Amino acid sequence: MEQDFLPINGTDHIEFWVGNAKQSAMFYMAALGFELIAYAGPETGQRDRASYVLQQNKLRFILTSSLQPDTEIANHVYKHGDGVKVLALWVDDAEKSFKETTSRGAEAAMPPERLKDEHGEVVVSAIKTYGETIHKFVERKNYKGAFMPGYVAKKSSYPVKPIGLKYVDHCVGNVELGQMNKWVQFYEDVMGFKLLITFDDKDISTKYTALMSKVVSNGNGYVKFPINEPAAGVKKSQIEEYLDFYKGAGVQHIAIATDDIVQTVSEMRDRGIEFLYVPETYYEDLFERVGEIEEDLQPLKNMNILVDRDEEGYLLQIFTKPVQDRPTLFFEIIQRKGAKSFGKGNFKALFEAIEREQELRGNL
Ligand code: FE2
């Protein structure tokens, strides 16, 4: 077996650049059950930005906003709105990760840097991917602190109630028409990922819109990045709508794993999170389509949770509406029961649901 030149232990964190990190942090705590674990800002010597580090099980999100008008962060938010800036990967050697990828053609975003404080050392480096998104490599084997040097441990007085979100299952990027293969090749050549699945417009098309998608995965399968591009349809595809509002390529959705989707989604609904809905008819022939499942039908139907099956098992999934005013980033909640796929059988029902929303926004 060939050597994996870029071993990755999993997702380290995802950093969002947002207009108001303080208020966004409240959303992730109150509605999604994240706990505040660390902070960086003026009080910690960070003059130009404020960052809130939130955690739930293995999931770590950072919300960052600029304190000044003419910074990289402020310009990013001006152009893209709130969105994902950093998909950070947990590695054992951030320097080697940087060398291996840049020597294969990756554009550097940040040369390796050793950050130290009284809790030890973290090494970070970063390369550019689609749009203005970057991959940070984070090496933290010699670190015992709350997050990393530059941040102080911080708890919130808000009484957080976790909702069972476990880890990042996959992260999807939308890229411009004709760019999907280029980015698939980037992940193959530069990061040593393998092409896992291809969906063409026959798999993913409705009366109006179509898209194409390819999924790449790293060696151990812990990191999966589906890449979408728009395909020609009668009306504007949801990918084009995203590109129009994000002003280019970027992260479309983050799929988060749970062990109990009914419980997780019912908490999210109680806390005001809005989900896409599929018509009742979706559930009429559910068992014919997916066979026997362990869950009761009624709660799935009540909460609009979707089911799909592949050769290895089945999965349950649901998609939120966009989580900011621009129709850009949204979340998927997924519970895998053996299935390793992405819910292809739900694509059609789902895209029709998205189109109903696009229609309401006047973008179809
Ligand atoms: Fe997904």
Side-chain angles (χ1 to χ4, degrees):
M1 197 166 155
E2 65 188 289
Q3 192 70 28
D4 186 354
F5 64 81
L6 184 62
I8 299 170
N9 303 322
T11 303
D12 188 87
H13 65 266
I14 296 174
E15 180 168 356
F16 304 74
W17 281 3
V18 299
N20 188 339
K22 186 171 194 163
Q23 288 191 6
S24 292
M26 269 309 285
F27 169 82
Y28 284 92
M29 289 191 276
L32 294 177
F34 280 79
E35 197 95 52
L36 180 68
I37 61 155
Y39 169 81
E43 302 85 344
T44 70
Q46 195 66 259
R47 300 312 300 170
D48 65 336
R49 66 180 70 187
S51 293
Y52 297 76
V53 185
L54 305 168
Q55 185 156 7
Q56 184 168 181
N57 295 308
K58 286 182 179 170
L59 278 172
R60 210 153 33 200
F61 287 176
I62 308 182
L63 298 157
T64 294
S65 47
S66 180
L67 303 177
Q68 297 295 333
D70 47 8
T71 65
E72 195 194 354
I73 298 163
N75 289 326
H76 196 278
V77 173
Y78 173 74
K79 182 175 174 192
H80 302 292
D82 289 6
V84 172
K85 175 63 184 182
V86 184
L87 291 172
L89 304 168
W90 174 30
V91 298
D92 288 332
D93 190 335
E95 207 165 325
K96 179 171 179 289
S97 302
F98 183 81
K99 275 191 202 132
E100 296 283 3
T101 50
T102 49
S103 70
R104 287 172 170 82
E107 229 183 294
M110 181 203 294
E113 214 179 312
R114 285 176 187 278
L115 311 168
K116 288 183 182 141
D117 67 11
E118 69 270 31
H119 305 292
E121 180 189 77
V122 170
V123 189
V124 290
S125 61
I127 60 169
K128 295 180 182 177
T129 178
Y130 49 75
E132 292 194 82
T133 317
I134 65 171
H135 287 307
K136 228 176 225 186
F137 300 116
V138 182
E139 170 190 334
R140 48 171 72 258
K141 57 180 184 287
N142 299 315
Y143 196 68
K144 298 269 183 289
F147 179 57
M148 64 168 69
Y151 292 79
V152 294
K154 189 172 179 176
K155 291 254 175 282
S156 160
S157 54
Y158 181 81
V160 166
K161 200 174 150 225
I163 60 167
L165 301 179
K166 294 279 166 151
Y167 55 87
V168 175
D169 185 276
H170 60 275
C171 263
V172 182
N174 280 344
V175 301
E176 297 88 349
L177 182 66
Q179 296 295 299
M180 176 180 67
N181 286 327
K182 179 189 129 178
W183 287 107
V184 167
Q185 199 173 356
F186 165 87
Y187 282 105
E188 290 174 334
D189 295 351
V190 168
M191 296 181 69
F193 282 37
K194 297 270 183 290
L195 178 65
L196 209 61
I197 315 172
T198 299
F199 303 106
D200 62 20
D201 48 357
K202 282 175 224 46
D203 297 313
I204 317 181
S205 67
T206 64
K207 196 163 71 172
Y208 294 133
T209 72
L211 70 87
M212 309 219 275
S213 189
K214 286 185 177 177
V215 184
V216 292
S217 167
N218 80 315
N220 58 19
Y222 290 173
V223 179
K224 292 184 245 38
F225 293 142
I227 310 283
N228 297 331
E229 74 171 24
V234 176
K235 295 195 179 180
K236 183 190 277 189
S237 80
Q238 48 153 315
I239 310 302
E240 281 172 274
E241 189 195 33
Y242 175 100
L243 296 168
D244 281 358
F245 280 87
Y246 199 71
K247 302 294 163 204
V251 174
Q252 178 211 37
H253 76 263
I254 300 165
I256 304 175
T258 171
D259 291 336
D260 186 348
I261 195 166
V262 170
Q263 176 61 24
T264 297
V265 172
S266 113
E267 281 287 347
M268 289 169 79
R269 284 194 182 279
D270 286 350
R271 298 171 190 205
I273 297 287
E274 298 175 309
F275 293 92
L276 292 178
Y277 73 94
V278 290
E280 290 251 319
T281 50
Y282 172 87
Y283 294 93
E284 279 169 10
D285 61 344
L286 185 71
F287 294 133
E288 282 99 275
R289 276 194 294 113
V290 304
E292 235 172 84
I293 57 171
E294 289 167 22
E295 291 71 17
D296 292 331
L297 180 64
Q298 203 52 46
L300 300 181
K301 200 171 161 179
N302 290 348
M303 274 180 278
N304 251 269
I305 293 166
L306 310 177
V307 191
D308 195 26
R309 185 179 283 280
D310 63 21
E311 305 72 43
E312 290 164 282
Y314 66 98
L315 62 83
L316 304 130
Q317 65 185 167
I318 191 167
F319 297 83
T320 72
K321 291 186 182 178
V323 291
Q324 57 290 305
D325 290 300
R326 294 197 203 190
T328 51
L329 179 77
F330 58 89
F331 290 103
E332 172 182 351
I333 307 299
I334 184 166
Q335 182 179 4
R336 294 186 179 278
K337 296 230 161 157
K340 294 204 178 73
S341 52
F342 297 86
K344 179 175 153 180
N346 291 324
F347 287 173
K348 198 177 161 63
L350 213 66
F351 292 159
E352 283 165 353
I354 292 174
E355 283 162 15
R356 281 195 295 277
E357 298 290 318
Q358 258 182 283
E359 181 93 66
L360 289 174
R361 294 189 286 261
N363 295 329
L364 188 66

